[in-house]
Amino acid sequence: MSTPQTTPEPGKRRLVIFLPLIFFAVLAMLFLYRLATGDPQKLPSALIGKPAPATTLPPMAGLGAAGAPVPGIEGASKPGTVTVLNVFASWCIPCRDEHPVLVDLARGAKAANIRLVGLNYKDQPAAGLKFLKDFGNPYAEVGIDPVGRAGIEWGVYGVPETFVVSPGGVITYKHVGPLTPERVKTLLLPEIEKARSR
């Protein structure tokens, strides 16, 4: 003799159906709250104080300056010079907002003995080239990283990100998010000065 099957009450059935949705909504709200109130600058970087990855990336074909092709990245540091490595992509909206700030920084980079390097991250080469031709190329060197392998070595969370590398090849600072004139003045330039002695 079989026992009769009981069907759950309609209220319990609805609860079972909506429980995963409620759980997901709570998680999404927590995530958005942390995103809105968190400081992306406080994301930890295990590479601060460690040698910069020995990054070698091919140049961006078709990119030139003063009639000569812009070289790719040959090493993350240069003796006697602080390197500022900026990770960017044409598909990144904050990178577009940041770009005029980098163009301004590049104007004084040579005189200040700063090597400004661009790492084009997970981008189509033609799109990256168009981005730099449309908005100007602030970089002395631009390396392409189409699959993001170099980005992994640098511990990139997303774009844009900017690293300061001492003349001795040590990563001394990482800025997550777009640079603004205020952030360059209050954060980046002081970190560049600190890096000179390392």
Side-chain angles (χ1 to χ4, degrees):
M1 184 148 101
S2 62
T3 27
Q5 296 280 334
T6 58
T7 56
E9 297 171 27
K12 285 184 182 176
R13 241 185 317 178
R14 270 192 229 114
L15 182 63
V16 169
I17 291 170
F18 287 112
L19 197 58
L21 291 173
I22 292 167
F23 180 72
F24 176 76
V26 169
L27 278 178
M29 287 172 40
L30 282 171
F31 175 75
L32 289 173
Y33 173 76
R34 285 297 298 144
L35 195 59
T37 60
D39 182 359
Q41 279 301 299
K42 296 194 175 161
L43 287 172
S45 176
L47 296 179
I48 301 296
K50 300 219 165 84
T55 303
T56 300
L57 292 173
M60 185 176 281
L63 184 63
V70 173
I73 299 174
E74 290 291 334
S77 64
K78 187 174 178 184
T81 304
V82 174
T83 298
V84 175
L85 183 131
N86 177 256
V87 184
F88 75 99
S90 65
W91 45 263
C92 161
I93 301 302
C95 295
R96 291 171 186 257
D97 296 336
E98 172 186 67
H99 205 73
V101 176
L102 293 170
V103 170
D104 284 344
L105 181 64
R107 287 189 183 113
K110 207 168 204 177
N113 202 21
I114 299 168
R115 174 182 171 233
L116 185 56
V117 174
L119 191 156
N120 188 225
Y121 180 71
K122 290 187 177 180
D123 211 349
Q124 296 295 321
L129 178 62
K130 183 175 182 339
F131 178 85
L132 292 178
K133 284 192 170 181
D134 288 350
F135 299 107
N137 175 27
Y139 308 112
E141 300 167 26
V142 178
I144 58 169
D145 184 22
V147 295
R149 182 160 297 167
I152 291 169
E153 292 172 1
W154 281 85
V156 171
Y157 291 105
V159 286
E161 288 188 13
T162 304
F163 297 83
V164 175
V165 181
S166 74
V170 175
I171 297 175
T172 60
Y173 178 70
K174 176 181 180 178
H175 181 84
V176 178
L179 290 168
T180 62
E182 182 64 23
R183 288 175 183 162
V184 167
K185 184 180 173 184
T186 61
L187 298 172
L188 187 65
L189 291 178
E191 290 297 336
I192 288 170
E193 288 311 309
K194 284 186 206 169
R196 290 190 194 283
S197 60
R198 291 186 163 182

Coordinates of all heavy atoms in Angstrom, one line a residue, residues 10 13 15 24 32 43 76 79 82 96 106 119 144 166 172-173 190 195:
P10 N 0.5 26.3 -1.4 CA 0.9 27.3 -2.3 C 1.9 28.3 -1.8 O 2.8 28.7 -2.4 CB -0.4 28.0 -2.7 CG -1.5 27.0 -2.4 CD -1.0 26.2 -1.3
R13 N 5.3 26.7 -1.7 CA 5.8 26.6 -3.0 C 6.4 27.9 -3.6 O 7.5 27.9 -4.1 CB 4.7 26.1 -4.0 CG 5.0 24.8 -4.6 CD 4.0 24.4 -5.6 NE 2.6 24.7 -5.1 CZ 1.5 24.5 -5.7 NH1 1.6 24.0 -6.9 NH2 0.3 24.7 -5.2
L15 N 7.6 30.3 -1.8 CA 8.8 30.6 -1.0 C 10.0 29.8 -1.6 O 11.1 30.3 -1.7 CB 8.6 30.2 0.5 CG 9.8 30.5 1.4 CD1 10.1 32.0 1.4 CD2 9.6 30.0 2.8
F24 N 20.0 35.9 -4.1 CA 20.8 36.6 -5.1 C 20.6 38.1 -5.0 O 21.6 38.8 -5.1 CB 20.4 36.1 -6.5 CG 21.1 36.8 -7.6 CD1 22.4 36.5 -7.9 CD2 20.5 37.9 -8.3 CE1 23.1 37.2 -8.9 CE2 21.2 38.5 -9.3 CZ 22.5 38.2 -9.6
L32 N 27.1 45.7 -4.6 CA 26.9 47.1 -5.0 C 27.3 48.1 -3.9 O 27.9 49.1 -4.2 CB 25.5 47.4 -5.6 CG 25.2 46.7 -6.9 CD1 23.7 46.9 -7.3 CD2 26.1 47.2 -8.0
L43 N 42.8 48.3 -2.8 CA 43.0 46.9 -3.2 C 44.4 46.5 -3.0 O 45.3 47.3 -3.4 CB 42.6 46.8 -4.7 CG 41.2 46.9 -5.1 CD1 41.0 46.9 -6.6 CD2 40.4 45.7 -4.5
A76 N 60.8 46.3 -17.6 CA 59.9 47.1 -16.9 C 60.6 48.3 -16.2 O 60.0 49.2 -15.7 CB 59.2 46.3 -15.8
P79 N 67.6 51.8 -15.8 CA 68.5 52.4 -14.8 C 68.5 53.9 -14.9 O 68.6 54.5 -16.0 CB 69.9 51.8 -15.2 CG 69.6 50.5 -15.9 CD 68.3 50.8 -16.7
V82 N 62.8 56.6 -13.4 CA 61.5 56.1 -12.9 C 60.6 55.7 -14.0 O 60.4 56.6 -14.9 CB 60.9 57.1 -11.9 CG1 59.5 56.5 -11.5 CG2 61.7 57.4 -10.7
R96 N 39.5 56.6 -21.3 CA 39.3 57.8 -22.1 C 39.3 59.0 -21.3 O 39.8 60.1 -21.7 CB 38.0 57.7 -22.9 CG 38.0 56.6 -24.0 CD 36.7 56.3 -24.6 NE 36.8 55.2 -25.5 CZ 36.9 55.3 -26.9 NH1 36.8 56.5 -27.4 NH2 37.0 54.3 -27.6
A106 N 52.9 63.4 -19.9 CA 54.0 63.1 -20.8 C 54.8 64.4 -21.3 O 56.0 64.3 -21.6 CB 53.4 62.4 -22.1
L119 N 50.8 49.9 -21.6 CA 50.5 48.4 -21.8 C 49.1 48.3 -22.3 O 48.1 48.6 -21.5 CB 50.7 47.7 -20.5 CG 50.7 46.1 -20.6 CD1 51.5 45.6 -19.4 CD2 49.4 45.5 -20.6
I144 N 51.8 45.6 -26.7 CA 50.4 45.0 -26.8 C 50.4 43.7 -26.0 O 51.3 42.9 -26.1 CB 49.9 44.9 -28.2 CG1 50.9 44.0 -29.1 CG2 49.8 46.3 -28.9 CD1 50.3 43.7 -30.4
S166 N 60.8 51.8 -9.7 CA 62.0 52.5 -9.4 C 63.1 52.3 -10.4 O 63.0 51.3 -11.2 CB 62.5 52.1 -8.0 OG 63.1 50.8 -8.1
T172 N 57.0 50.3 -6.7 CA 56.9 51.0 -5.4 C 55.5 51.5 -5.2 O 55.1 51.9 -4.1 CB 57.8 52.3 -5.4 OG1 57.5 53.1 -6.5 CG2 59.3 51.8 -5.5
Y173 N 54.6 51.6 -6.2 CA 53.3 52.1 -6.1 C 52.4 51.6 -7.2 O 52.8 51.3 -8.3 CB 53.3 53.6 -6.2 CG 52.0 54.3 -6.1 CD1 51.3 54.4 -4.9 CD2 51.5 55.0 -7.2 CE1 50.1 55.0 -4.8 CE2 50.2 55.6 -7.1 CZ 49.5 55.6 -5.9 OH 48.3 56.3 -5.8
P190 N 54.2 62.5 -5.8 CA 55.0 62.2 -4.6 C 55.6 60.7 -4.6 O 56.7 60.5 -4.2 CB 54.0 62.4 -3.5 CG 53.0 63.3 -4.0 CD 52.9 63.0 -5.5
A195 N 60.2 56.9 -5.4 CA 60.8 55.8 -6.1 C 62.2 56.1 -6.6 O 63.0 55.2 -6.8 CB 59.9 55.5 -7.3

